[in-house]
Amino acid sequence: MGHTSTPPPTAGGLTATEHRLSNGLRVVLSEDHLTPVAAVCLWYDVGSRHEVEGRTGLAHLFEHLMFQGSAQVKGNGHFELVQNAGGSLNGTTSFERTNYFETMPAHQLELALWLEADRMGSLLAALDEESMENQRDVVKNERRQRYDNVPYGTAFEKLTAMVYPEGHPYHHTPIGSMADLDAASLEDARDFFRTYYAPNNAVLAVVGDIDPEQTLAWIEKYFGSIPAHDAKRPPRDGTLPDVIGEELRQVVREEVPSRALMAAYRLPHDGTREADAADLALTVLGGGESSRLHNRLVRRDRTAVTAGFGMLRLAGAPSMGWLDVKASGDAEVAAIEAAVDEELARFAAEGPTPAEMERAQALLEREWLDRLATVGGRADELCRYAVLFGDPQLALTAVDRVLQVTADEVREVAAARLRPDNRAVLVYEPTETTAPDIAADVADGATVSDSATNDDQEAAQ
């Protein structure tokens, strides 16, 4: 064991201790004896922002390959062993990280640790052309099902490419392009693994009904002999001006069930007080059926069937706020957009009311507490703050920081960022061949964030 840090005072009754193996693996433990379960979460500091031109989608493809067997676990064995032990598991890829996680009965914790260590240390022994081709096809099919062949499926991809210019590390989304997926070779995958899947590029969090001393002993036993790798290429600089400087606009004519207005704004970097203020602003404006935009567009004007505003938090580049409005009947996008601009201008001038601030802070507080209340959610947040901000303890005080933001700060960030010269706009116009039965998607309240903005999750078993 390299070293163990002393935990700070408890935050909301939750604690976490930090440790580091001699090979660089960071370990975060958090005891919770409420239920006899334990969560294992392993974050690798690699996502689509680390990819280079011509090889987009490699981070997500490799997430799938990690479930194709390792030296001592063949084929689909990782899924079988965890599920047969009563556990659940998955993996996701985003712009800024790739993670793998299991929630197990507490007495099966050692199995989960051994499985993660085996593929970290020996995946290359099992990686071959057959598994590469198998998962390449799975990822391409996932792209078809979730992006290319669903209404509005490529909207987030289009908005991202507009907000983050050509050559920027966040210009492309984690799913990657079909051409780049076809071009990826087995050697590309092996080089990717050697570069990024090393213990000194990872954080392991274990949360739940654990014995810390025994857990550390298992981690040392299974992970301690895996060698570090120091040839990691840092991600390209994601710095951009706070404001785009002009409105970018694109009209999309596709087989969609209704007209739609979608827009993306550059927002402050995650991990800042300004980002928390922006999150509160978007919650007041478009978070749920009590929000300003829902009340204006859906209830009062009746020009929309859904109206939402969400935030994609990013640490290595400006975050992104996305507006998603689906039109009602024959309502024109121009009328919807005029109403949106009116509400944004009023909010920038007046800010939130005390009641709106209380509601928005309560909503975000509840979301945070929901994540921290489960062993899997807490493990994920501990990893997130360790990888992206260098300090897992920040996860335990995030609620306090949201509650400290003032109404003036919320108004200021809205005035500075939610403006016409800082947005990319998509206007969807249905083609005449649009199938009427697709309209059920709109009635169900489907938005951009329902599919494309979520992390790409491992689905091939």
Side-chain angles (χ1 to χ4, degrees):
M1 191 68 62
H3 73 264
T4 299
S5 67
T6 302
T10 61
L14 304 177
T15 60
T17 58
E18 301 172 55
H19 318 270
R20 191 184 295 269
L21 304 193
S22 58
N23 60 7
L25 178 67
R26 296 182 67 184
V27 178
V28 185
L29 304 181
S30 180
E31 289 185 76
D32 182 347
H33 301 289
L34 186 62
T35 56
V37 295
V40 172
C41 186
L42 186 59
W43 271 46
Y44 290 94
D45 186 10
V46 58
S48 59
R49 67 170 174 165
H50 295 83
E51 297 166 348
V52 297
E53 185 177 359
R55 291 297 181 269
T56 65
L58 196 54
H60 178 221
L61 173 61
F62 209 90
E63 172 215 317
H64 282 251
L65 292 172
M66 285 283 277
F67 290 90
Q68 286 295 288
S70 49
Q72 300 180 79
V73 182
K74 303 303 180 185
N76 202 39
H78 196 113
F79 274 99
E80 294 171 356
L81 288 167
V82 170
Q83 292 174 341
N84 289 343
S88 60
L89 70 162
N90 217 320
T92 71
T93 309
S94 76
F95 290 94
E96 300 183 322
R97 59 98 184 102
T98 307
N99 68 342
Y100 304 90
F101 45 93
E102 297 87 7
T103 298
M104 308 287 288
H107 68 280
Q108 296 285 2
L109 172 60
E110 184 180 8
L111 171 63
L113 294 171
W114 174 75
L115 285 167
E116 289 294 358
D118 192 57
R119 59 183 176 181
M120 178 190 281
S122 67
L123 186 103
L124 287 185
L127 183 58
D128 56 21
E129 289 286 358
E130 181 180 359
S131 59
M132 181 79 175
E133 290 307 313
N134 175 280
Q135 290 308 302
R136 190 201 311 271
D137 289 342
V138 168
V139 172
K140 289 169 67 177
N141 194 49
E142 180 181 331
R143 180 181 172 90
R144 295 185 190 100
Q145 291 180 336
R146 295 179 57 198
Y147 292 76
D148 297 335
N149 297 331
V150 296
Y152 317 107
T154 59
F156 181 70
E157 192 172 44
K158 289 182 171 70
L159 289 171
T160 300
M162 295 165 75
V163 171
Y164 306 102
E166 188 78 37
H168 191 272
Y170 293 72
H171 179 70
H172 68 279
T173 58
I175 193 68
S177 73
M178 286 291 198
D180 288 355
L181 288 169
D182 283 333
S185 68
L186 179 60
E187 190 50 44
D188 288 331
R190 287 173 172 163
D191 180 63
F192 194 88
F193 179 84
R194 284 189 289 263
T195 301
Y196 296 109
Y197 279 75
N200 54 319
N201 195 46
V203 173
L204 173 67
V206 185
V207 176
D209 188 16
I210 63 174
D211 177 334
E213 185 176 344
Q214 177 62 77
T215 301
L216 285 173
W218 283 331
I219 291 171
E220 179 64 51
K221 176 181 178 181
Y222 297 124
F223 290 89
S225 62
I226 302 173
H229 184 78
D230 297 320
K232 175 185 173 182
R233 297 180 287 273
R236 289 167 290 146
D237 184 14
T239 302
L240 284 172
D242 290 346
V243 174
I244 297 172
E246 62 178 322
E247 182 183 81
L248 307 174
R249 182 173 290 263
Q250 193 178 130
V251 176
V252 183
R253 300 186 185 277
E254 288 184 359
E255 290 189 15
V256 293
S258 72
R259 294 186 176 101
L261 171 68
M262 301 184 190
Y265 297 77
R266 283 186 195 165
L267 297 178
H269 287 66
D270 192 15
T272 64
R273 190 178 177 99
E274 291 79 12
D276 290 335
D279 207 351
L280 287 165
L282 299 192
T283 302
V284 172
L285 289 164
E289 295 185 0
S290 297
S291 66
R292 288 198 182 190
L293 292 177
H294 185 91
N295 282 328
R296 171 69 185 271
L297 300 172
V298 180
R299 289 181 174 168
R300 195 190 94 178
D301 297 353
R302 300 194 175 185
T303 54
V305 292
T306 62
F309 224 156
M311 182 173 178
L312 174 66
R313 286 177 174 260
L314 297 172
S319 299
M320 190 170 80
W322 71 89
L323 170 73
D324 186 347
V325 182
K326 302 296 193 313
S328 174
D330 295 327
E332 296 289 340
V333 170
I336 293 173
E337 189 169 5
V340 168
D341 285 344
E342 183 181 318
E343 291 299 325
L344 294 185
R346 184 162 67 90
F347 190 79
E350 301 172 2
T353 66
E356 287 175 328
M357 273 296 289
E358 182 178 4
R359 171 185 169 272
Q361 288 179 315
L363 283 173
L364 295 186
E365 180 181 23
R366 187 205 67 201
E367 290 175 3
W368 266 108
L369 294 178
D370 283 347
R371 288 199 291 273
L372 295 179
T374 67
V375 292
R378 195 184 320 158
D380 192 58
E381 292 299 336
L382 290 170
C383 280
R384 172 175 167 240
Y385 277 94
V387 169
L388 299 181
F389 308 109
D391 184 3
Q393 306 295 342
L394 291 171
L396 306 181
T397 56
V399 172
D400 297 333
R401 292 192 294 277
V402 170
L403 298 180
Q404 291 167 4
V405 175
T406 68
D408 282 343
E409 290 174 297
V410 173
R411 186 199 63 76
E412 288 169 4
V413 76
R417 301 300 187 100
L418 302 181
R419 32 191 269 200
D421 65 344
N422 186 37
R423 70 185 177 197
V425 178
L426 290 182
V427 175
Y428 274 86
E429 291 288 346
T431 61
E432 293 181 1
T433 57
T434 298
D437 59 350
I438 300 178
D441 289 332
V442 174
D444 291 338
T447 67
V448 178
S449 59
D450 290 331
S451 57
T453 62
N454 292 336
D455 292 334
D456 291 301
Q457 294 199 5
E458 168 66 39
Q461 295 189 31

